[in-house]
């Protein structure tokens, strides 16, 4: 006796995001900690030494947060105006920050008062950084100049006046103490050597530059400005390598994940995109609540810190391995499981006589009814609320099976108001889904045929039928528009292809719905 | 034209086994069923065919155990003979010549030496009326017996064997035809007739479909066309008869059967459910559902332990007392074949439509159904007028790792449902596992489908053409993420909105030819460039075939306007064409040869040719009547080494084809026939002999000796006696140990008993004259070997043991 073959529930391809290693990696963060600052957060910098505190520059303050604390461990408030670009020195002892009032201040991380004040710029200083020998400071200002300062003497060493607009980003080389790069709103980024008075290399980004990033090897430079992120090969004399346009608003900040495999860019469009540095494809995407101004990653990607225009600082910590395991383990360790498995893992001994037991076939509720040819009950079982809402393909498959058996009409007929309205609400929800439409249209036609005589008797049913009519009209209009678009596309394709035997005008006309999915 | 010489067209396997009711032997070990012109003996436990009882020259119409000897069986046939067989050994014992076609056979233990057969009324074959006659079987020593003395019992009976049944103890016989039930009492020599009305109001249909009689009680059960079962009682009165009605079946009851004790009544019909009714408690019934196909016959073993049901899909199911299916004997399912005949490259099995929604894998070499692959994977609901999913196309790739199937269902109201399924071969389970289902791969019916043939290429590719004017190429996508690889569409092609009809890959897979009505387009599957078009109007292209091996530069096509064209792809021009109405063109995958089935005046001719040569290699006029639309070249297991010109094309592969009547035919050479005959003679399955240590010792010894002395006697007629039953050994073994003489004494005696072989020669020789006679009166126990043995040692042995025993006690 062949066993009953259960209804085949088709597996539809999941639309949208595919699960890759990257999505698993980047999703493995806890829910973000959100901290309200006093103003827009313009800069975040992680201390290079453990415990990797980070300095958050917002309005007239710089807060330093510990890796796990949600309260600042230290605050620098001695700014007359908005502070900019608070950055740690490579030993984590000193912190430098620019200010709207054109004075650059140097702080000891332990102290409160500025150790040094560097005066000389005439406008707001947006860029500050330590050189890799730790004794000099690079600053860039809205007065179009960038300067080098000596820390011990607090004197100005050099002034470079090559940019023709605000300098809003700059970075020093970690390997060479004399090398630094600045980017300006005049669309250029310039590489300077402190040993000579002029820039040694100049590149045109094409948009006002907002952020710069050097690869750890310092062979590649990444610049962000406008909607573009561009990668330059410094070793080939500043040749452009890639231009990425994945944001639809200005890109404000760049970061590298600690192993250098992934590049992150944050933008005013509220997204953080993660690129693979091998092929520069977007591998992951984060959404935030407001436009992002600053972004930083802790060493080893332990946390992602994002500062936004609405003065909210969002900190995401990575899940520890135990935590991530716990979640998957929880699903497996149901209380009933142990009972269920009891005695099943017994291994028979050599002398044991095995009595074989027929394997019981477990059937879903609707299949049990179908097996008994109870067609109405089978449909009712499939239309139970949690099934109907969570996986609509089950009722659709059962309707299809009933149709194949030629008993769909019997199953649909003879229902009271409540049952019928449940059926109709399911139809309204899924009728225009192109995966289900061929099956459900048949069922809808049958329902209309069967219940035509009772129209006007129940306000609930009438309302639902009107809704269905409305839905169908809208769908028809929509399809018409799509066909028009398709026609336009066809002519465009036809004109753009070279004149020869064209085997490509192949997208069939009624396939409009598949186009819809791709769009 | 080449003469066909010694090449013949023969039936090859796949005969029907569900034609008549099977018979289970008394010991429940064997199942006998009529199958074409022979009776097949199956083992009920292993499902294997043990041997064929061959001898009839026409369709066998009935099999019946001989009531007086449970080791013998009668079979009747259209050829006008009734034969008596010893089924354990497969020996024909007697042939009774009746002289007119016999349609069914009955016998009862109460009627010694008489069998009842159904023959045409007037003795001529065309007659539509049949009568039941009794035949007295003459006692005679001859093998061929004329028994033409027929005495009519009942006239105007049905030729369907289910319509006649013997009643309790053979006292009466019941026969039903149309709306009439006749009961004939042998003692009174009187028959009663009971009629039913044509039709009652609720669309009932009262025609009788089958009859069964209770073995212990005066009760006749009849099945009817509307699914009712009536139990008739008190039928020895003309007026006061009664009947009660049972109704479960919704369609005609096709078979009824009482269990030997009469406690249960079994019924079956088109619902493929075996229903077991309790006799006298008819409200209690048991069901055995989902037996696969409509039940045509039900049989019960004489001890009631086994039931067996025949099904319309050429299957016999053996059931252990209505609870569990213990074995299934499945023959080649002959339905409407929609897929082409295909050969599975891995198992070399023939693949075609089987049960509804299945593909069957049928081994041509072993004439055995290997397995059914469920393609549709849906519960099969039998209902009249219900459209089912049918497998319409199937294709294998060159290595047999992928199978593509197309199933479709056409409903009046809804649009056509088409599913394309791709199956991967699983090494572990040695079966195909569903990999990808593509619902609605095309918007209309798929007309053709083929895999890219190259075995070395990395990617497998499938091309399907459809009535919607497109052809699509499907490719195995590399594993994108966690799930395994699956198939997706790679390319969609059209040509001026014409409908593609067939497609074909060249031998090296570098070219794809797709025919669009009368235009053949040639594409490059790597770049999807249209390379060239070939056209030979008028007439749409019907078949396309690339040449193989040395002829791979040729592309052959047949058109609807009776033209066979051969294009040379190097010059892109027509090489030759000829006017022929070719219904089927196919290429041998292992050689350059092509076969063309050509339909002429209601007959089909076969031509085998090489595209490069103008002369056909072989031609055969009138292969069969009607058109041949399905054929296949199946590779041989062992190459033949025929060097005659006209049979060389059969060396590497064998051509099989299906006729209009779904008979599987093939071509054989004379040499092959001879070889087959020789091998079948050697293959006598000897399974009734128990393997005991003594058998190994004695049996082998005796075997050799027999072979030496008597090469004339056929081996099948000659059986080694069961050594256990020889008296000396039996006594030696069964005597209690404490009464036996000393071992040393017995040992010498035992060894002496082995020495009989030398002197046994003469006696054996004398017996050999009547091997069959010997079988009839003494099967199994062959004491005579010792009784007739004049040897002294034996006598001593036989005399001594009882004496010794008496001394000891």
């Amino acid at each position: 006796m062949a066993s009953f073959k259960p209804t085949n529930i088709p597996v539809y391809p999941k639309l949208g995001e595919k699960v890759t290693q990257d999505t698993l990696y980047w999703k493995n963060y806890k829910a973000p900690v959100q901290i309200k600052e006093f103003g827009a957060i313009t800069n975040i910098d992680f201390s290079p030494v453990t415990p990797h505190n980070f300095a958050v520059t917002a309005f007239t303050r710089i807060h330093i947060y510990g890796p796990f604390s949600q309260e600042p461990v230290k605050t620098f408030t001695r700014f007359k105006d908005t502070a900019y670009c608070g950055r740690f020195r490579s030993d984590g002892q000193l912190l430098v920050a620019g200010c709207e009032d054109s004075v650059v201040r140097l702080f000891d991380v332990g102290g409160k008062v500025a150790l040094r004040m560097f005066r000389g710029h005439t406008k707001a200083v947006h860029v500050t950084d330590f050189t890799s020998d730790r004794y000099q400071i690079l600053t860039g200002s809205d007065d179009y100049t960038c300067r080098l300062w000596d820390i011990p003497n607090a004197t100005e060493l050099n002034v470079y006046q090559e940019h023709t607009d605000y300098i809003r980003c700059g970075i020093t080389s970690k390997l060479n103490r004399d090398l630094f790069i600045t980017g300006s709103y005049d669309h250029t980024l310039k590489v300077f050597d402190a040993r000579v008075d002029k820039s040694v290399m100049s590149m045109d980004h094409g948009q006002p530059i907002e952020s710069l990033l050097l690869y750890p090897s310092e062979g590649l430079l990444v610049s962000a400005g406008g909607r573009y992120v561009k990668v330059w090969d410094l070793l080939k004399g500043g040749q452009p390598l890639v231009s990425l346009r994945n944001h639809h608003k200005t890109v404000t900040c760049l970061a590298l994940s600690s192993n250098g495999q992934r590049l992150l860019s944050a933008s005013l469009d509220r997204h953080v995109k993660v690129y693979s540095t091998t092929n520069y494809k977007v591998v992951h995407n984060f959404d935030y609540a407001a436009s992002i101004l600053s972004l930083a990653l802790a060493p080893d990607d332990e946390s992602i810190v994002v500062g936004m225009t609405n003065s909210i600082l969002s900190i995401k910590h990575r899940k520890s391995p135990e935590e991530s395991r716990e979640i998957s383990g929880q699903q497996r360790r149901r209380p009933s499981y142990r009972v269920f498995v009891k005695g099943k893992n017994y291994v028979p001994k050599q002398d044991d006589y095995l009595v074989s037991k027929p394997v019981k076939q477990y059937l879903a509720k609707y299949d049990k009814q179908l097996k008994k040819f109870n067609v109405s009950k089978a449909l009712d079982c499939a239309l139970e609320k949690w099934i109907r809402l969570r996986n609509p393909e089950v009722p659709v498959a059962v309707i299809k099976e009933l149709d194949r058996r030629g008993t769909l009409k019997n199953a649909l007929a003879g229902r009271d108001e409540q049952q019928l309205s449940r059926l109709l609400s399911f139809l309204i929800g899924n009728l225009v889904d192109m995966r289900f439409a061929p099956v459900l249209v048949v069922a809808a036609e049958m329902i209309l045929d069967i219940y035509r005589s009772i129209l006007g008797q129940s306000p609930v049913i009438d309302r639902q039928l009107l809704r269905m009519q409305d839905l169908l009209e809208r769908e028809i209009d929509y399809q018409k528009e799509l066909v028009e678009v398709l026609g336009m596309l066809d002519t465009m394709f036809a004109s753009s292809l070279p004149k020869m035997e064209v085997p490509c005008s192949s997208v069939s006309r009624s396939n409009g719905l598949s186009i819809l999915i791709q769009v | 034209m080449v003469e066909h010489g010694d090449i013949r067209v023969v039936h090859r396997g796949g005969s029907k086994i569900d034609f008549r009711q099977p018979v289970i032997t008394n010991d429940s070990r064997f199942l006998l069923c009529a199958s074409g012109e022979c009776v097949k003996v199956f083992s009920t436990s292993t499902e294997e065919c043990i041997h064929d009882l061959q001898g009839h020259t026409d369709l066998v119409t009935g099999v019946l155990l001989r009531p007086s000897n449970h080791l013998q069986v009668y079979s009747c046939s259209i050829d006008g003979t009734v034969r008596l067989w010893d089924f354990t050994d497969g020996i024909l014992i007697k042939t009774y010549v009746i002289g007119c076609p016999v349609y069914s056979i009955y016998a009862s233990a109460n009627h010694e030496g008489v069998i009842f057969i159904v023959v045409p009324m007037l003795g001529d074959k065309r007659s539509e009326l049949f009568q039941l006659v009794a035949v007295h079987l003459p006692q005679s020593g001859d093998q061929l017996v004329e028994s033409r003395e027929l005495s009519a019992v009942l006239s105007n009976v049905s030729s369907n064997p289910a319509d006649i049944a013997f009643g309790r103890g053979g006292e009466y016989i019941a026969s039903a035809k149309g709306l009439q039930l006749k009961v004939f009492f042998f003692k009174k020599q009187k028959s009663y007739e009971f009629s039913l009305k044509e039709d009652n109001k609720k669309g009932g249909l009262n025609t009788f479909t089958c009859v069964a009689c209770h073995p212990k009680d005066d009760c006749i059960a009849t099945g009817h066309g509307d699914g009712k079962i009536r139990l008739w009682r008190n039928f020895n009165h003309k007026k006061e008869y009664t009947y009660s009605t049972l109704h479960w079946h919704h369609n005609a009851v096709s078979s009824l059967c009482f269990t030997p004790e009469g406690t249960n009544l079994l019924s079956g019909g088109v619902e493929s459910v075996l229903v077991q009714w309790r006799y006298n408690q008819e409200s209690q019934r048991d069901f055995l559902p989902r037996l696969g196909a409509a039940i045509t016959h039900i049989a019960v073993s004489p001890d009631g332990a086994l039931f067996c049901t025949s099904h319309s899909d050429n299957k016999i199911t053996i059931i252990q007392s209505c609870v569990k299916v213990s074995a299934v004997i499945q023959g080649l399912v002959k339905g409407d074949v929609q897929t082409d005949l295909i050969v599975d490259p891995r198992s070399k099995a023939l693949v075609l439509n089987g049960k509804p929604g299945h593909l069957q894998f049928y081994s041509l070499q072993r004439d055995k159904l290997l397995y059914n692959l469920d393609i549709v994977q849906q519960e099969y609901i039998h209902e009249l007028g219900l459209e089912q999913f049918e497998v319409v196309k199937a294709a294998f790739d060159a290595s047999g790792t992928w199978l593509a199937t197309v199933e479709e269902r056409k409903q009046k109201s809804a649009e056509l449902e088409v599913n394309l399924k791709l199956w991967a071969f699983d090494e572990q389970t040695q079966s195909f596992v569903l990999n990808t289902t593509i619902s609605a791969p095309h918007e209309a019916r798929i007309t053709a489908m083929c895999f890219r043939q190259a075995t070395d290429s990395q990617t497998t590719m499938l091309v399907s053409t459809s009535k919607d004017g497109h052809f699509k190429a499907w490719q195995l996508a590399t594993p994108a993420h966690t799930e395994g690889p699956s198939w997706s569409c790679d390319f969609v092609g059209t040509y001026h909105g014409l409908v593609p009809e067939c497609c074909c890959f060249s031998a090296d897979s570098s070219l794809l030819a797709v025919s669009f009505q009368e235009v053949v387009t040639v594409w490059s599957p790597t770049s999807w460039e249209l390379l060239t078009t070939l056209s030979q109007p008028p007439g749409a292209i019907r078949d396309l075939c690339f040449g193989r091996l040395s002829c791979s530069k040729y592309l052959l096509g047949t058109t609807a306007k009776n033209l066979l064209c051969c294009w040379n792809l190097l010059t892109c021009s027509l090489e030759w064409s000829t006017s022929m109405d070719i219904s089927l063109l196919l290429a041998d995958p292992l050689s350059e040869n092509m076969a063309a089935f050509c339909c002429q005046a209601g007959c089909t001719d076969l031509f085998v040719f090489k595209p490069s040569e103008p002369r056909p290699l072989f031609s055969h006029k009138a292969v069969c009547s009607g058109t041949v639309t399905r054929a296949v070249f199946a590779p041989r297991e062992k190459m033949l080494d025929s060097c005659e010109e006209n049979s060389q094309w059969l060396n590497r592969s064998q051509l099989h084809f299906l006729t209009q009547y779904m008979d599987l035919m093939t071509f054989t050479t004379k040499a092959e026939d001879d070889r087959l005959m020789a091998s079948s003679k050697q293959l006598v399955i000897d399974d009734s002999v128990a393997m005991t240590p003594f058998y190994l010792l004695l049996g082998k010894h005796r075997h050799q000796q027999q072979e030496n002395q008597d090469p004339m006697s056929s081996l099948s007629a000659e059986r080694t006696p069961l050594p256990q039953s020889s008296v000396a050994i039996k006594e030696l073994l069964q005597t209690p140990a404490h009464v036996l003489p000393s071992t040393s004494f017995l040992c010498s005696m035992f060894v002496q008993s082995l020495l009989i072989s030398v002197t046994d020669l003469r006696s054996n020789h004398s017996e050999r004259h009547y091997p069959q006679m010997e079988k009839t009166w003494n099967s199994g126990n062959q004491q005579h070997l010792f009784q007739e043995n004049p040897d002294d040692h034996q006598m001593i042995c036989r005399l001594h043991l009882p004496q010794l025993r008496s001394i000891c006690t």
Side-chain angles (χ1 to χ4, degrees), chain A residues 1-6 8 18-19 371 373 400-401 403-406 442 501 503 505-506 508 510-511, chain B residues 288-290 325 358 374 378-379 381 386 388-389 409 411 417 443 470 481 491-493 523 528 530:
Chain A
M1 179 178 64
S3 55
F4 180 82
K5 287 173 200 157
N8 178 26
K18 277 180 189 152
V19 179
K371 193 178 171 186
F373 291 84
K400 193 175 179 182
E401 171 72 14
D403 187 31
R404 183 182 74 85
R405 293 176 171 217
V442 176
E501 279 298 336
S505 63
S506 54
S508 61
S510 55
N511 239 354
Chain B
L288 188 64
R290 283 183 287 282
V325 173
H358 287 65
D374 187 1
Q378 272 175 339
E379 180 76 2
I381 306 289
L386 196 63
Q388 308 282 359
F389 264 112
R409 186 172 80 109
Q411 255 189 325
E417 281 178 72
E443 282 156 43
H470 301 299
H481 37 283
F491 177 74
V492 185
W523 306 72
W528 291 118
L530 178 59

Side-chain angles (χ1 to χ4, degrees), chain A residues 15 98 135 194 204 243 255 275 282 298 360 382 415 418 440 487:
Chain A
L15 303 177
Y135 304 127
D204 187 13
S243 172
Y275 308 86
V282 176
K360 199 181 172 193
R415 285 167 181 272
Q418 196 194 348
L440 293 186

